[in-house]
Amino acid sequence: MSVLIKGGRIVTAADDYVGDVLAENGVVTLIGESLGVPADRVIDATGKLVLPGAVDPHTHMEMAFGGTVTCDDFTSGTVSAAFGGTTTLIDFCMQTPGATFPEALAAYHEKIERAKPVIDVGFHIGITDLREGGTLEDLAKVPDEGVTSYKLFMAYKGAVMVDDETLFRAMEVAAESGALVMVHAENGDAIHVLVQQALAEGKTDPVWHARTRPPITEGEATNRAIQLAHVAGAPLYVVHVSCKEAIEPIARARAAGWPALGETCTQYLFIDETALEKPNFEGGKYVYTPPPRPKENQEHLWQALSTGVLSAVSTDHCPFKWDGQKTLGRDDFSKIPNGGPGIENRLHMLYSFGVREGRISLRRFVELVSTNPARYFGLYPRKGTIAVGSDADLVVWDPEKRLTLSASTHHSNVDYNLFEGTEVVGAPEVVLCRGQVIVEGDELVAQPGAGRFVKRARFGEELTARPVPA
Ligand code: URP
Ligand code: ZN
Ligand code: ZN
């Protein structure tokens, strides 16, 4: 099967030019001007952008959390991703306490066997316990399975939170095994005390989710994780950075040349803490962690994205329905399952309000949503760019298409949209994953199972491009 995309403006993190792209058997085999080669399918991309498929390094499909389970599985979640131009996601394969790492991996492989993804999927291993089931020896072997990042939570006390000993031991293993350590950085002990005090005072509304997780608790944990990773000699990636207090230690570490990386998520760039005050429990929709912050943080985040202090934008897609799941905490904010949806709208929002409004360049946009996640999570240059030998994960992007984001039209199972009613300009027209068209206009063309599990290279190593067919 071959596809020729003609006359588009090809944009990667490094380049921006008009040309044609030929994909054969899932791989980009030729790039040039006015290619006169035959192909099974020709797509006219005149006036459109041709982008590398986006990579979302932070999602939670069908994950048990907060007393319930996220409402997208690997089918609905990946369909939603595909409609937004994302062709690879990396999800958290969570170790249930007491389980071994091989057991955790087997359970997640079963999930993608059953709920067949339409885009490619990788896993991070989520470490919750290194005392009962999880051993350091097994952890050291996880990267051999193509799962080359370890995720630890410094918050959610009594659930998935680990102590500093566990965090540090995992970092030491990572320094040897070549894994990238990812942290959810918040001081879970202090937050636990603040939550108990608020509840004791009868403060039960969603807004207390933010008031009991002040930015300094994120800043402190971010700094602690950075210092511990430095002692262990491990590379570190701080997930969902939401505020100035967490940006600052990352900036300092990077200025010192330490391998400290950070991402933010779409929602932190656009939603502020006042959303939690919406009446009639509408505020419950915005209970994700870290919480939406005071608005001034958004400028700090944009600044950090444009100066390279932050390296990626993910979604932290962790969808719980408002009706029946978020409402579990109607009378007690601490019982609202933490997480928000967004996998479909990352590129819409960033292109419209980042690129079009001049906050980031088009190439930086590609770098933040595709190239850097691919690079730091061992997928580059197979993914994250458009080059001969890379996977033909391609998005033909219509820069003028107008769309109103809404739960009534998105493809996730979740019953609300964080950006409900937002009008965006710019959206995918055609999306290809390994040379197969998976989305065309408003149609899903992919068959379930079009996506594959992708084994990733270790941190700092490259996933070699595929041989180009003769
Ligand atoms: O609220 C969130 N972010 N839920 C998902 C788990 C996590 O902390 O990433
Ligand atoms: Zn988190
Ligand atoms: Zn998350």
Side-chain angles (χ1 to χ4, degrees), residues 99-165:
T100 66
F101 296 120
E103 284 165 353
L105 288 172
Y108 265 70
H109 278 290
E110 255 170 50
K111 285 188 190 189
I112 58 172
E113 287 292 314
R114 181 173 32 79
K116 301 184 182 315
V118 302
I119 65 169
D120 286 354
V121 170
F123 296 148
H124 315 281
I125 191 86
I127 302 168
T128 60
D129 154 45
L130 283 175
R131 295 199 175 89
E132 301 277 318
T135 67
L136 299 177
E137 294 72 28
D138 278 352
L139 186 59
K141 291 184 204 141
V142 170
D144 298 340
E145 306 301 316
V147 175
T148 54
S149 33
Y150 302 160
K151 164 77 179 289
L152 299 104
F153 291 86
M154 299 167 78
Y156 303 126
K157 192 175 166 79
V160 291
M161 176 172 152
V162 297
D163 57 19
D164 284 354
E165 179 182 343

Side-chain angles (χ1 to χ4, degrees), residues 58 60 65 151-153 156 183-186 239-240 268 289-290 316:
H58 188 158
H60 303 272
F65 199 63
K151 164 77 179 289
L152 299 104
F153 291 86
Y156 303 126
V183 283
H184 170 131
E186 284 184 306
V239 300
H240 49 45
Y268 298 111
T289 303
D316 192 6

Side-chain angles (χ1 to χ4, degrees), residues 58 60 63 65 70 92 151 153 155-156 160 184 186 209 239-240 263 265 267-268 287-291 315-318 320 326 337-340:
H58 188 158
H60 303 272
M63 181 182 75
F65 199 63
T70 56
F92 294 95
K151 164 77 179 289
F153 291 86
Y156 303 126
V160 291
H184 170 131
E186 284 184 306
H209 176 64
V239 300
H240 49 45
E263 66 168 27
C265 311
Q267 53 274 27
Y268 298 111
V287 171
Y288 44 76
T289 303
T315 64
D316 192 6
H317 181 75
C318 186
F320 297 105
K326 289 289 186 184
N338 286 197

Side-chain angles (χ1 to χ4, degrees), residues 173-401:
V173 174
E176 291 296 314
S177 72
L180 174 61
V181 177
M182 305 169 79
V183 283
H184 170 131
E186 284 184 306
N187 188 316
D189 282 315
I191 288 167
H192 176 74
V193 172
L194 294 172
V195 168
Q196 296 316 310
Q197 287 170 347
L199 291 175
E201 290 166 17
K203 295 163 174 165
T204 57
D205 289 344
V207 71
W208 287 95
H209 176 64
R211 294 186 186 157
T212 53
R213 309 182 94 92
I216 195 69
T217 57
E218 185 183 339
E220 181 280 326
T222 302
N223 185 52
R224 182 164 26 114
I226 289 170
Q227 305 301 326
L228 293 177
H230 185 63
V231 175
L236 183 75
Y237 181 97
V238 184
V239 300
H240 49 45
V241 172
S242 72
C243 57
K244 180 170 172 273
E245 286 77 355
I247 293 169
E248 284 168 348
I250 297 172
R252 277 197 303 275
R254 290 181 66 72
W258 296 7
L261 299 157
E263 66 168 27
T264 189
C265 311
T266 327
Q267 53 274 27
Y268 298 111
L269 296 166
F270 299 103
I271 295 169
D272 67 68
E273 65 178 359
T274 58
L276 287 159
E277 292 167 9
K278 292 192 181 189
N280 303 320
F281 197 64
E282 290 282 313
K285 295 176 178 174
Y286 304 91
V287 171
Y288 44 76
T289 303
R293 297 298 191 189
K295 197 165 180 56
E296 59 269 21
N297 286 284
Q298 293 172 4
E299 274 322 305
H300 292 290
L301 291 170
W302 283 112
Q303 179 78 7
L305 288 173
S306 65
T307 55
V309 170
L310 294 179
S311 305
V313 179
S314 73
T315 64
D316 192 6
H317 181 75
C318 186
F320 297 105
K321 291 187 181 180
W322 182 78
D323 190 6
Q325 292 192 294
K326 289 289 186 184
T327 49
L328 292 170
R330 199 181 262 283
D331 301 321
D332 175 349
F333 72 89
S334 72
K335 295 200 167 63
I336 303 171
N338 286 197
I343 197 160
E344 193 161 332
N345 302 133
R346 178 175 58 137
L347 274 63
H348 294 134
M349 293 296 287
L350 243 70
Y351 182 80
S352 262
F353 303 108
V355 177
R356 286 181 62 97
E357 294 194 354
R359 289 181 165 117
I360 48 172
S361 71
L362 192 50
R363 285 191 288 115
R364 181 66 177 157
F365 163 71
V366 171
E367 191 163 52
L368 291 170
V369 299
S370 177
T371 315
N372 278 352
R375 198 177 269 146
Y376 296 128
F377 291 100
L379 292 166
Y380 187 86
R382 191 175 297 177
K383 297 187 183 293
T385 192
I386 302 175
V388 170
S390 62
D391 281 358
D393 295 349
L394 300 165
V395 179
V396 179
W397 181 269
D398 181 347
E400 300 303 331
K401 184 165 173 176

